[in-house]
Amino acid sequence: QRLTFSRSSLLMAARRAVFIVAAKRTPFGAFGGKLKDIKATDLAAHAARAALAAGSVPVEAVDSVVVGNVIQSSSDASFIARHAGLKCGVPLHSRALTVNRLCGSGFQAIVSGYHEIVLGESDIVVTGGSENMSMCPYATYTARFGPKLGVDFKMEDTLWAGLQDSYVSMPMGVTAENLAEKFEITREQCDQYAQLTQSRWSRANEEGRFDAEIAPIAVKGKKGEEQMTTDEHPKPGTTMENLAKLPAVFKKGGTVTAGNASGICDGAASVILASEEAVNKHNLSPLARLVSHHVAGVDPKIMGIGPVPAIKGALSKAGLNLSDMSLIEVNEAFAPQYLSVEKDLGLDREITNTNGGAIALGHPVGTSGSRITGHLAHELRRVNGQYAIGSACIGGGQGIAVLIQKV
């Protein structure tokens, strides 16, 4: 009897629909740029406030806050989910959780919020991701108990260290070079793709395609406070000639350069989730429904291929095929990484990363999954599509994907 009750409860929970009722993000700041002095917690709070307002979600009804954050770059970063929620005015009795699935953290925050609603623990969850990579400190791990006589303190760049995988003793860029070799991706192909994603962002920005998702933020300008309304990292005038002049960074004669890799950036995004009961009770207007998700492990030496099994897993759980997707997003960690995923899955480039990706916008590591999901929710409505899937590779050898449906 106990087993039958448990299975019945799980079946009921599995039928509980979860909706995206709002999605907002800050513009992304370049490394050392306009957002460099704003803590990740404050960026997260700004994006969440904007999303709550955009969706007319009563803040007093929020049950939980889940924020993805990777490189905890401020002294109070360990409190990020709780502090971001409280700064938005969520009830004191609400819960908070900070998650770290590296480059998949923004997606994982959404997945964790989805789990809370499906299990009946919450009805409204503020999810999101935030990162201030410009604030990453230098650190010493030998100073607390004093150095030995004649030994100087050694400072480590925590940002650069966070982009290395010590298990396989290689930086993320080398894993992309491994994929370039495996899938026979050339430097020219990488530069061509980088130029494409920059031009796609430029066109999308000119046409106002990001207006629905961006929440302008006040920053310090040369003449005082000003409103930042546009992503700072993109380089719209990028040409093949300019890209060809850049040296390979990780391997002699390699494919990865500063021009065809994702940008180190600052920014936050927020995606508000609600149960069907909450949608009806508070008269909310859903943008999309969460259909499925999947996380998969892969060889850390080719971690960038992670979106392949993740996307296949999410599609399988939903009973859908790639041909059913109106839009696809694969986070552009590096051009050869994206191109390897594209080649392996046989992606249609006409519906993939249609408004540019991380090579143009930048990749604040804890934020990108939330940015991608929010962007897809808005873009599905703009193009009148039905299904979309977003994904990211994850350092250490994982991939994550989230599949949504327009409501």
Side-chain angles (χ1 to χ4, degrees):
Q1 290 180 344
R2 188 177 301 168
L3 178 62
T4 302
F5 176 79
S6 176
R7 291 180 64 186
S8 175
S9 297
L10 288 172
L11 287 172
M12 288 179 65
R15 288 196 292 267
R16 200 172 196 222
V18 179
F19 298 96
I20 295 172
V21 295
K24 285 286 186 178
R25 70 174 177 92
T26 69
F28 284 180
F31 186 52
K34 294 180 178 180
L35 299 181
K36 66 181 177 63
D37 297 321
I38 304 178
K39 293 181 179 181
T41 300
D42 293 321
L43 292 173
H46 180 83
R49 276 194 297 268
L52 289 165
S56 298
V57 180
V59 69
E60 65 273 11
V62 173
D63 298 302
S64 184
V65 178
V66 186
V67 176
N69 181 246
V70 180
I71 306 174
Q72 298 197 332
S73 59
S74 63
S75 59
D76 60 351
S78 56
F79 296 90
I80 185 169
R82 182 58 170 165
H83 284 184
L86 292 175
K87 288 185 176 187
C88 290
V90 302
L92 288 175
H93 64 257
S94 66
R95 303 173 298 277
L97 173 67
T98 301
V99 297
N100 181 354
R101 200 186 282 273
L102 300 173
C103 297
S105 298
F107 282 121
Q108 183 59 48
I110 293 168
V111 169
S112 295
Y114 169 86
H115 288 164
E116 288 194 21
I117 294 175
V118 164
L119 292 173
E121 296 178 351
S122 297
D123 280 298
I124 296 179
V125 182
V126 174
T127 75
S130 187
E131 209 76 55
N132 189 314
M133 301 179 80
S134 297
M135 276 191 174
C136 288
Y138 281 83
T140 177
Y141 299 96
T142 59
R144 182 169 297 279
F145 303 105
K148 294 179 181 179
L149 181 65
V151 178
D152 292 328
F153 291 123
K154 180 182 178 182
M155 302 296 288
E156 180 177 78
D157 182 351
T158 60
L159 174 57
W160 184 248
L163 301 176
Q164 318 288 311
D165 183 352
S166 62
Y167 182 77
V168 290
S169 301
M170 63 179 63
M172 296 299 100
V174 173
T175 71
E177 292 289 5
N178 292 342
L179 283 173
E181 183 175 341
K182 179 180 174 66
F183 286 90
E184 299 180 337
I185 307 296
T186 68
R187 164 68 185 271
E188 183 179 16
Q189 289 173 323
C190 292
D191 287 348
Q192 287 173 342
Y193 184 75
Q195 197 277 330
L196 174 65
T197 198
Q198 292 281 4
S199 64
R200 282 181 165 181
W201 178 90
S202 180
R203 180 199 62 202
N205 187 59
E206 290 174 358
E207 295 179 0
R209 296 186 188 182
F210 301 118
D211 292 353
E213 67 192 65
I214 286 184
I217 186 170
V219 296
K220 295 178 182 177
K222 294 181 179 179
K223 298 182 180 180
E225 186 176 280
E226 62 184 35
Q227 289 292 309
M228 181 180 177
T229 61
T230 307
D231 298 311
E232 189 179 17
H233 181 268
K235 298 170 179 58
T238 298
T239 65
M240 284 295 293
E241 291 75 21
N242 292 339
L243 290 168
K245 294 175 183 177
L246 298 173
V249 177
F250 298 99
K251 178 181 177 182
K252 185 176 181 180
T255 60
V256 178
T257 73
N260 61 34
S262 58
I264 295 173
C265 283
D266 311 321
S270 183
V271 176
I272 313 295
L273 305 181
S275 66
E276 186 172 4
E277 293 84 351
V279 166
N280 293 329
K281 179 180 179 180
H282 300 289
N283 196 28
L284 306 178
S285 300
L287 298 172
R289 178 178 71 91
L290 287 173
V291 178
S292 68
H293 63 274
H294 191 72
V295 182
V298 297
D299 183 349
K301 293 180 181 178
I302 51 170
M303 67 90 198
I305 206 65
V308 172
I311 287 173
K312 288 180 178 179
L315 289 170
S316 177
K317 289 176 179 178
L320 297 169
N321 300 306
L322 271 177
S323 58
D324 296 312
M325 299 298 107
S326 302
L327 295 168
I328 301 167
E329 288 273 334
V330 176
N331 191 47
E332 300 166 355
F334 305 94
Q337 168 267 326
Y338 166 80
L339 291 170
S340 296
V341 172
E342 180 187 74
K343 193 171 187 178
D344 196 318
L345 287 174
L347 297 179
D348 180 357
R349 197 177 289 185
E350 292 303 309
I351 62 169
T352 306
N353 297 0
T354 54
N355 294 323
I359 293 173
L361 286 99
H363 176 30
V365 284
T367 308
S368 291
S370 296
R371 177 198 73 79
I372 288 171
T373 305
H375 179 69
L376 286 173
H378 288 295
E379 191 68 0
L380 271 179
R381 297 173 73 82
R382 191 187 71 81
V383 303
N384 196 29
Q386 185 175 16
Y387 293 105
I389 192 165
S391 64
C393 60
I394 300 170
Q398 295 186 85
I400 188 168
V402 170
L403 197 159
I404 64 174
Q405 179 184 21
K406 179 177 72 70
V407 176

